[in-house]
Amino acid sequence: MSQLTVNLGNEYDAQLWIRLKLVIKKLGGQMSADNWGLSGSQELETFKVAIDGQILNIQSETYIGITLSGDSALVEKIQRLVDQERGTKEPTGQRNSQP
């Protein structure tokens, strides 16, 4: 199972958060807060998401944005659905694959 990390967009984008939570809900996922921290001007918040027995990680970090990590197929599916909710056809953000 390959892992993938994508940057969905800016951490302060309220509409992106709404779309992401909507997609997670549509997929039957449950999102729970995992950790929060503040260091100088950097705020970091992490969440765990359970969908169909798979755990994904969402991280919101100042100046970095909202990143989604986990099984590549599920991450790609969520990114595609978030982009559809946004009304775009091309995937947005950066991608980092890991074997």
Side-chain angles (χ1 to χ4, degrees):
M1 172 177 8
S2 65
Q3 299 290 301
L4 177 66
T5 298
V6 296
N7 186 310
L8 298 174
N10 296 319
E11 74 280 359
Y12 54 81
D13 185 341
Q15 292 301 310
L16 175 57
W17 277 111
I18 290 169
R19 288 189 301 271
L20 178 58
K21 290 176 182 178
L22 178 66
V23 166
I24 290 169
K25 184 176 180 180
K26 284 182 178 180
L27 294 175
Q30 295 185 15
M31 187 170 157
S32 61
D34 191 41
N35 200 356
W36 180 86
L38 181 66
S39 177
S41 64
Q42 295 285 119
E43 184 176 341
L44 175 66
E45 190 168 13
T46 59
F47 302 89
K48 298 280 186 203
V49 177
I51 298 176
D52 292 333
Q54 295 186 56
I55 301 295
L56 300 175
N57 295 301
I58 297 174
Q59 188 168 312
S60 173
E61 185 174 356
T62 307
Y63 307 119
I64 303 295
I66 301 169
T67 56
L68 176 62
S69 303
D71 174 69
S72 59
L74 186 53
V75 168
E76 288 173 342
K77 180 177 183 176
I78 291 172
Q79 182 181 29
R80 184 177 64 254
L81 293 171
V82 167
D83 287 341
Q84 286 175 359
E85 290 289 331
R86 180 184 295 156
T88 61
K89 295 187 184 201
E90 293 298 316
T92 57
Q94 300 172 331
R95 313 177 103 190
N96 298 315
S97 298
Q98 298 171 352

